[in-house]
Amino acid sequence: MSRSLSDLHELQSLSSEERDELLGRLAEEFEFRIRRGECPLVAEYTERYPDLAADIESVFTTIVTLEGIKADDARDAEGRVSLAGGRVDQLGEYRVVREISRGGMGIVFEAEQVSLQRRVALKVLPRRMILQTEERDRFEREAQLAASLHHSNIVPVHGCGTDDGYQFYAMQLIDGTSLNELQEHELTSKRVAEIGVQVAGALHYAHKQGVMHRDIKPENLIEDQNGRIWITDFGLAADSTSVSDGGAGGTKKYMAPERATGLCKAPADVFSLGMTLQTLLSDLAEDSVSPDLTAVIDRAIDHNWQNRYQTAGELAEDLQRFLDHWPVKARKLSWFGRGLRLTRRNPALSVCLGLLFGLAWVMAILSHRNYLQSEQQKLQLFGKMSVVDALFQSNYPGRDKLSQLSEVKDSRSTQIADPTLDDHITMLRYLPDTKIDRLTDLSPDLIRAAIAARRDVGQAKKHLGRLTDARRALQYALQATDRWMFKCNTTSPFSPETTEAVLSAATLRNDLSAVLEEEMKLDEAEVLRNEALGLLDRIPLPKRNSTEYAEQLAEAHLGLGTFRPERVGLFGIWYQLDVAGHDFTIKETRETDHLDAALNVLQVSSLMHVPRIKTLIARTLVERIRWKRMLGTSWHHDDRRAEELMRELTLEFPRQANYRYVYSIVLANIRLPWDPITRTEYEIIRLRLERSLELVHSLTQNQPRRTDYIQTEVDVRHLLAELAIRCTVEGDTKLDFEVAVSMQGYLNESMTAGFSGHVRKSLLEWRFAEWLDFNEKHDQAETYRDYARQQFQLISSHDSSEPCVVAAREIIIDGTRTLTSLTERVAVGPEKTQQTE
Amino acid sequence: MLSPENTNTPNSQDAVSDSFENIFREERPRLWRLIRFRLNPGIRHHVDTEDILQDVFIEASRLYADYLNGNSLAPYLWLRQIALETLRDVHRTHMGTQQSATERESYSDLPPTDAASSPLVRLVAAVTTPSAVAIRQETKVIVDQALQRLNETDWEVIQLRQFEELTNSEVAEVLKISVTAASIRYVRALERLKDIVETLPDFRQD
């Protein structure tokens, strides 16, 4: 017995020794291969030695981590590469003369090509810069392709090669300045367009030859003495990940979003050029930039590549139209938009078009089984969904509606709803709804497309305030996703596809919750948010590395942590006004834990540079500030951070509507005190609110159908009116009230939000009436009181026990509760105010 | 026309210096790395890695003939000795102390950031190819902290194998142990490094 035990022990210690020896040999080989520039797979070794798999994985991944650190350490503080002690005097037939510049990818030398005795620019990549063999092959292939390009705006590549472990390529030496160094130059709209025409023309030529640039940015465009623009580094950027990670600043900014999915076609270069032109324009005064040029650039940098110019040639052409003072195509309506405009003039035609649409879909449905052979063809069906995006583009007809509205001063005309919009949505209804069920059995690609299509429709309808439709669309998408998730989970629970399906199921729960929350179905929403958390918890650790995962986890927590004054009887910003005599002081709350959790997820330095994440952080901070005010803890730090985050984002991406929207919310997140305030405090609050109004107003101007934007404008105007009242300052109080009331009316008519809109509007009218009374306009005041009562009667009896309906009834109908009297004003100034009671 | 002496002597000298320059060029990156990692961060502002490398070059070329005559060390290990001595002098001059150049120092001179989650766990778990290793600062900081906690033997072998990029047999020669023992020592050090990383406070499992 004891003998066998000791034998066993001996065997184990022996095998552990042997094991380490074997591991050591394998590790040396693995290391050697990495250092030689190969890209060995850990799996290669674990498959060879399955018994040692765990040990191999643990040792090798540590090696890989250490190697990765070293590669990075050879960069300097600005992220520029160095040759890590290596030195180049001669590479192939090129004799290095001097260093010209360093970037995130390589070092450019001036060199002499000995055989031809000519000066060239030699770009040298440090050793180990390209770790994967496929990447290296691609590098060489593309360098050869690039060498075949002959265009007057493309720096000619003479050749490329490898010597002494360095990859390098030689190109013509251009005497000029790259565009990122041009700042002091006096650029004009016209000059930027000219640059765009040259570059887009050259890109179009290259694309036709099958060469993508992949890394268009100001640094890669050189202006020579004659004003000619040269594109350098053609097709030579490494793939997206290495460029963005090692970037010496900002390359990611120029990279098309779809690149993240590996898609890199002509529209990706179009996007980068668009961003480059926008960067150049950003130095100009805003009013000196023509809206036509802005429209062209906006189209070039559309987030969705299908909405961009599909070729660089189209971009060049439209820029040329701008230069020639022709109307640009980017401002013209799409065929769909034109169709809508036609139907608006001719309702009968609308019916015909609708039928045609329906017919086309029926035919597509009937024939799809034998007709649609490839997945791609099937996907094209869903490509039509991009019309949804067209709804929200600034060139969509009807953008002037809201500007008309804000001119309405005395009338209560709110006949804003555009009938053609309904047609549009009816047409959308012909899209995949009827098809999803059958199609989901096909392939993951198709399932993804179908879910995405439904989700888009849901989001679109939510933004339009069609909450019931939005809910339906999202529920549909959710069902499809859950079926998909279930299927994946039973066949291969640990596959990437399952992870994707689970993430998608969580995402849709968050989307749907957001709609339910707007519908005030808070309990249902809470259930879904918790389900989303549960699903995300099922995603295996290694797969939690994605931005999407962090986003959805934070969204779920944010939803659960949102401050909801509605629960205690006040709507939206009313609690900010402190007018209903509510005592909101609370001692503790679970919600802030959720907000802290969301911030924990988001504030990881690898994520924090992502604009979407920054926006999410700001939104979370807004909620935390609201809670902290209730709890009486200090919130100023959060406020400063949120303001800073969004200010920077809106500066960096001045055309991104969502950033401006969130920024306006951050700015409007103040609480009007009844305590006396100083002139400075008053000015600060006023400036914040006016900036907020300016931001959100520009949004409602461009996208007059976005109910979320409009609601925010209503809120900000109400706050401004209230501020003026309290501080006895002459403001645009009357105008602000009127516009707010009339916009809220428009919202109520176009939204399906139910009682919440009615409560908001009747309270707003009630408050306006009080102000009118105070200003001795008793007739008008009485009229508005009537409006308020009528509005309140519209609330269905079904909702009569909602806390805020009860509160509103006490104020408007019963008169048992009053809003804080207008006479309790706060005079501005250092002195204490007289409060008349 | 020329006497054989006149032609031969410079030629052989050329050959000697030629081979020296070749060796030095060959080993330059490893020496650069050695100096960069062992140079005290406090004096990196005063002396440049390239300058020290230059001193090493001059000193080594002076000693090269002696090396050829009687030293059995592998060329890199010989250069490494000279580099370590040069570093010692540099530290003495600039720090006024006898601080050894081999004294353990922070591998990374980057200021530590508060790593809110652990990128290494993700890396270690998810990584299959070197290029998939996202080059991230937190990883660096975490690994650096873990390296500081290693015992002297483990730290030394990782230093040699990883940061100086010695081969296993070179490590065996430097440490005067068998090739097998060197290999085993390295593997165990790596495993301990990983264990330490996992116990670090920055390293969270959620």
Side-chain angles (χ1 to χ4, degrees), chain A residues 165-332:
Chain A
Y166 297 106
Q167 305 259 310
F168 62 89
Y169 54 96
M171 40 192 182
Q172 186 179 322
L173 195 61
I174 305 286
D175 184 15
T177 332
S178 62
L179 290 190
N180 61 320
E181 290 160 353
L182 269 188
Q183 260 92 356
E184 73 278 13
H185 248 244
E186 194 50 49
L187 277 171
T188 59
S189 277
K190 181 165 167 287
R191 179 62 190 151
V192 171
E194 282 168 1
I195 291 172
V197 170
Q198 291 189 40
V199 178
L203 282 177
H204 187 53
Y205 160 81
H207 291 165
K208 280 193 294 184
Q209 315 291 314
V211 186
M212 296 292 128
H213 188 285
R214 294 169 199 276
D215 197 18
I216 289 283
K217 55 182 174 182
E219 289 92 313
N220 283 338
L221 302 176
I222 302 173
E223 182 178 43
D224 73 11
Q225 312 295 338
N226 306 318
R228 187 196 290 183
I229 305 295
W230 294 86
I231 311 180
T232 179
D233 276 5
F234 229 101
L236 297 165
D239 80 346
S240 50
T241 49
S242 47
V243 172
S244 51
D245 279 353
T251 300
K252 199 152 205 166
K253 173 178 169 191
Y254 301 99
M255 193 176 293
E258 73 271 15
R259 293 280 300 277
T261 65
L263 189 65
C264 182
K265 296 204 162 145
D269 274 350
V270 166
F271 179 93
S272 305
L273 176 53
M275 285 305 286
T276 302
L277 298 179
Q278 192 182 51
T279 307
L280 295 176
L281 281 181
S282 64
D283 293 334
L284 305 184
E286 206 169 296
D287 52 0
S288 72
V289 179
S290 150
D292 273 0
L293 186 55
T294 311
V296 173
I297 290 175
D298 280 349
R299 174 141 180 226
I301 60 176
D302 196 293
H303 195 79
N304 181 347
W305 64 270
Q306 285 150 329
N307 296 342
R308 282 178 222 146
Y309 297 99
Q310 290 303 296
T311 67
E314 287 173 37
L315 172 57
E317 199 182 295
D318 225 10
L319 285 168
Q320 192 60 53
R321 289 172 78 89
F322 164 74
L323 288 171
D324 297 342
H325 306 290
W326 283 84
V328 297
K329 287 186 175 164
R331 295 232 316 170
K332 287 191 182 170

Side-chain angles (χ1 to χ4, degrees), chain A residues 470-606:
Chain A
R471 176 157 43 81
R472 245 179 247 140
L474 290 171
Q475 275 165 343
Y476 218 102
L478 184 59
Q479 282 166 16
T481 315
D482 282 355
R483 271 201 299 275
W484 178 34
M485 178 173 70
F486 183 74
K487 200 177 95 189
C488 296
N489 207 25
T490 39
T491 51
S492 52
F494 301 109
S495 70
E497 196 189 328
T498 311
T499 303
E500 192 193 336
V502 173
L503 186 58
S504 170
T507 306
L508 278 160
R509 278 174 172 77
N510 273 332
D511 292 349
L512 189 52
S513 301
V515 174
L516 291 168
E517 280 154 7
E518 275 200 42
E519 290 184 302
M520 295 305 303
K521 297 176 178 165
L522 298 178
D523 296 335
E524 284 175 55
E526 196 178 320
V527 171
L528 282 173
R529 295 278 191 199
N530 279 314
E531 279 180 21
L533 286 180
L535 283 169
L536 291 168
D537 203 42
R538 279 171 52 187
I539 291 179
L541 271 182
K543 304 280 170 57
R544 296 185 181 181
N545 211 354
S546 69
T547 316
E548 288 72 23
Y549 171 81
E551 245 181 320
Q552 292 308 323
L553 189 57
E555 282 282 2
H557 280 303
L558 175 55
L560 289 168
T562 298
F563 177 68
R564 298 195 184 284
E566 295 90 342
R567 287 223 192 256
V568 285
L570 276 187
F571 251 104
I573 54 114
W574 276 86
Y575 88 97
Q576 284 175 255
L577 304 177
D578 228 358
V579 288
H582 264 269
D583 183 10
F584 269 128
T585 329
I586 45 174
K587 290 226 162 56
E588 54 171 11
T589 170
R590 279 181 307 126
E591 275 88 342
T592 47
D593 294 344
H594 280 294
L595 297 177
D596 293 343
L599 288 171
N600 265 342
V601 176
L602 298 169
Q603 292 176 336
V604 173
S605 55
S606 56

Side-chain angles (χ1 to χ4, degrees), chain A residues 33-34 37-41 44 131-134, chain B residues 128-131:
Chain A
R33 288 175 65 191
I34 291 179
E38 273 184 53
C39 174
L41 294 172
E44 243 177 71
L131 274 174
Q132 286 189 335
T133 29
E134 314 92 79
Chain B
T128 51
T129 69
S131 74

Side-chain angles (χ1 to χ4, degrees), chain B residues 24-35:
Chain B
F24 196 83
R25 176 190 284 275
E26 185 76 15
E27 302 299 354
R28 210 172 181 284
R30 284 210 280 181
L31 290 169
W32 184 87
R33 208 176 284 288
L34 166 87
I35 295 167

Side-chain angles (χ1 to χ4, degrees), chain A residues 20 31 70 72 85 605, chain B residues 28 133 135 138 162 186 188:
Chain A
D20 287 349
E31 244 170 50
K70 278 188 299 186
D72 191 34
S605 55
Chain B
R28 210 172 181 284
V133 180
I135 305 159
E138 299 108 290
Q162 270 295 329
Y186 178 51
R188 293 188 179 162

